[in-house]
Amino acid sequence: MEEKDIFLQTWMKDAALEDIYSKVLEGKRLSREDGIRLYQNPNLLAVGKLADIVRRKKNGNYATYVYNQHINYSNICLNRCRFCAFGKDENAHDAFELSLEKIEEAIQQRMQEPVTEIHIVGSIHPKFSYAYYLGIIKTVKRLRPKAILKAFTPVEIAHIAKLANMPVKDTLQELHAAGLDALPGGGAEIFSHRVRQEMCPEKLSGEEWLNIMKTAHRLGIQSNATMLYGHIERIEEKVDHILAIREAQDETQGFLCFIPLAFHSQNTPFAYLPTTCGIEDLKNIAVSRLLLDNVLHIKAYWIMLGLKLAQVALSFGADDLDGTIFEEKIAGMAGRTSPDSLTVKTLQNLIQEAGFIPRERNTYFYSIKKG
Ligand code: V47
């Protein structure tokens, strides 16, 4: 055995992770109990090292970013989830809604830039019609025919299907035909019924969220998946959430990446909760990487993690930083301290300084070669 292997073996033994280390080396699937133990293990560096082994097997020395533009079409929301500082009543002073002309303006403002992905999410608006949602898709595709449109979480898709008076499958099919390319991973929160009752009782259930994603995948619409942590959830609930994604992925292979989202509590009834700490953030990235053997990419979403921690997360299992963004309102309204847009140069520097090779990717994680 080489000296470095002996060192690793001893380290993992000291951290009481020797058996999980063996599974990782053999490429064996980790169990629910393994997931709970990893979360409970106080040796963050050892857990991170395990995640890094998997990350390097799957994604080598590369870390990616995307040239994207986020647009939020409205924050006027019928659901009013308790953890969300973004959603507002119609008459709130900071409520907003974008007409199709305003969405066009937002896209026009960036037309000189090589945006490859447009990410659009909003709210469960009380008045917008099905035609409005189709209008968003058509507007984006008219102005930016080559960009990939990633829009509408399963929560919005369920609402749009009601407006269209059609089953979800037919609605997705129509939206896809109109130009919707992929779905973002939002709205998943934590699938646990207990947590949802407390935090977002009006929202789609975890099962419904998963079913809509699986339906989309079967129609050829790929998506991301998220998990919101750092509030009232328990370790077991996070592990079960991640394993539910893993199970769905076994069925459809439609998830492109997984994004653990750090909860920001300001301007919510949960403002008494402290901001997540770095240890917790890195743990969530690392455990997700280790449990999700069938999801190729883990995103360290710098908006929620902050730039410095997102950069460190690249050595704890993450292989993507998301992108240029331009305008972010969801965490922005909940006390985010990071900026809301980054240049490609900054993204590349963050990746390089972390010891990885930066690569621009598109929504589907295909490399974009320049020049
Ligand atoms: O679903 C809401 C979360 C999500 C708060 O798919 C909050 O590429 C923290 O899903 N503190 C929306 N989080 C964001 C999202 C996303 C972002 C970037 C990329 C992708 C992708 C998806 O944000 C919501 C919810 O889980 N959220 N409120 C909050 N106060």
Side-chain angles (χ1 to χ4, degrees):
M1 210 191 259
E2 278 185 41
E3 208 170 313
K4 76 173 200 310
D5 297 330
I6 297 170
F7 168 75
L8 262 178
Q9 190 94 43
T10 314
W11 185 16
M12 293 303 156
K13 193 170 175 199
D14 288 350
L17 291 170
E18 215 182 2
D19 55 331
I20 299 184
Y21 175 52
S22 298
K23 281 193 185 177
V24 165
L25 290 186
E26 289 163 28
K28 281 198 184 144
R29 179 162 272 198
L30 301 188
S31 66
R32 180 174 190 268
E33 288 64 39
D34 294 334
I36 294 170
R37 272 179 58 209
L38 286 163
Y39 265 119
Q40 286 170 339
N41 193 297
N43 195 331
L44 172 71
L45 290 183
V47 175
K49 177 67 194 173
L50 290 177
D52 189 55
I53 293 172
V54 176
R55 178 238 192 271
R56 283 174 197 275
K57 263 195 213 163
K58 288 190 185 295
N59 295 296
N61 288 336
Y62 296 101
T64 49
Y65 61 90
V66 57
Y67 209 119
N68 61 356
Q69 177 174 11
H70 278 210
I71 299 173
N72 298 124
Y73 57 84
S74 176
N75 65 347
I76 301 171
C77 193
L78 289 171
N79 274 0
R80 304 306 314 281
C81 301
R82 296 182 71 232
F83 65 83
C84 180
F86 172 74
K88 302 285 171 196
D89 287 334
E90 213 169 349
N91 50 8
H93 73 279
D94 45 0
F96 71 88
E97 57 186 30
L98 301 188
S99 60
L100 294 180
E101 291 69 33
K102 286 279 172 209
I103 289 176
E104 175 155 356
E105 234 172 71
I107 295 167
Q108 290 285 11
Q109 273 171 13
R110 299 280 167 187
M111 278 313 272
Q112 303 315 314
E113 296 176 54
V115 169
T116 68
E117 173 187 275
I118 309 263
H119 168 120
I120 300 186
V121 292
S123 53
I124 303 305
H125 192 280
K127 298 201 181 119
F128 286 152
S129 64
Y130 181 44
Y132 172 79
Y133 294 93
L134 282 172
I136 291 182
I137 298 173
K138 287 179 183 153
T139 303
V140 172
K141 286 289 155 170
R142 175 166 50 80
L143 297 169
R144 282 245 185 227
K146 289 196 182 137
I148 294 168
L149 174 59
K150 177 173 62 131
F152 312 136
T153 67
V155 185
E156 288 158 290
I157 295 291
H159 178 67
I160 297 170
K162 270 193 207 139
L163 295 175
N165 202 16
M166 287 194 297
V168 163
K169 184 174 171 218
D170 299 359
T171 308
L172 278 167
Q173 237 158 355
E174 262 194 30
L175 296 175
H176 192 33
L180 177 72
D181 298 301
L183 301 186
E189 323 316 354
I190 287 273
F191 296 143
S192 148
H193 184 64
R194 179 192 76 85
V195 176
R196 285 181 115 74
Q197 279 298 103
E198 184 83 13
M199 297 195 83
C200 47
E202 309 297 330
K203 201 169 220 157
L204 222 58
S205 70
E207 293 75 33
E208 287 167 318
W209 188 96
L210 283 163
N211 280 335
I212 291 178
M213 282 307 195
K214 287 193 282 186
T215 306
H217 297 169
R218 290 189 181 109
L219 293 170
I221 306 170
Q222 287 181 287
S223 78
N224 294 331
T226 58
M227 173 177 78
L228 185 68
Y229 67 88
H231 40 86
I232 58 161
E233 84 286 2
R234 300 180 184 134
I235 283 178
E236 290 77 4
E237 289 164 334
K238 285 193 286 199
V239 171
D240 288 339
H241 181 100
I242 297 169
L243 294 187
I245 301 281
R246 187 169 83 180
E247 204 175 298
Q249 181 75 335
D250 276 343
E251 283 180 47
T252 64
Q253 284 88 47
F255 290 116
L256 295 157
C257 82
F258 184 70
I259 318 162
L261 295 171
F263 178 53
H264 288 56
S265 64
Q266 260 183 43
N267 304 320
T268 78
F270 298 94
Y272 63 90
L273 289 172
T275 312
T276 60
C277 73
I279 306 288
E280 186 181 3
D281 291 329
L282 294 174
K283 212 27 144 16
N284 278 286
I285 295 273
V287 179
S288 312
R289 176 62 291 160
L290 285 161
L291 289 178
L292 288 170
D293 56 356
N294 56 0
V295 177
L296 192 50
H297 301 287
I298 302 289
K299 185 186 289 190
Y301 185 40
W302 62 263
I303 285 274
M304 302 279 187
L305 291 178
L307 293 186
K308 293 182 181 184
L309 201 70
Q311 184 185 33
V312 174
L314 296 176
S315 297
F316 282 76
D319 61 283
D320 183 72
L321 289 182
D322 200 278
T324 48
I325 309 282
F326 297 135
E327 215 187 353
E328 197 283 335
K329 294 204 175 77
I330 296 173
M333 286 175 133
R336 147 172 72 72
T337 52
S338 57
D340 74 348
S341 92
L342 282 187
T343 63
V344 162
K345 193 88 211 115
T346 306
L347 286 160
Q348 288 174 338
N349 282 344
L350 286 168
I351 292 170
Q352 250 154 4
E353 291 295 321
F356 294 94
I357 304 164
R359 252 193 190 169
E360 186 180 342
R361 60 141 177 112
N362 71 8
T363 310
Y364 306 117
F365 284 80
Y366 291 137
S367 279
I368 291 177
K369 297 233 165 47
K370 291 279 146 133

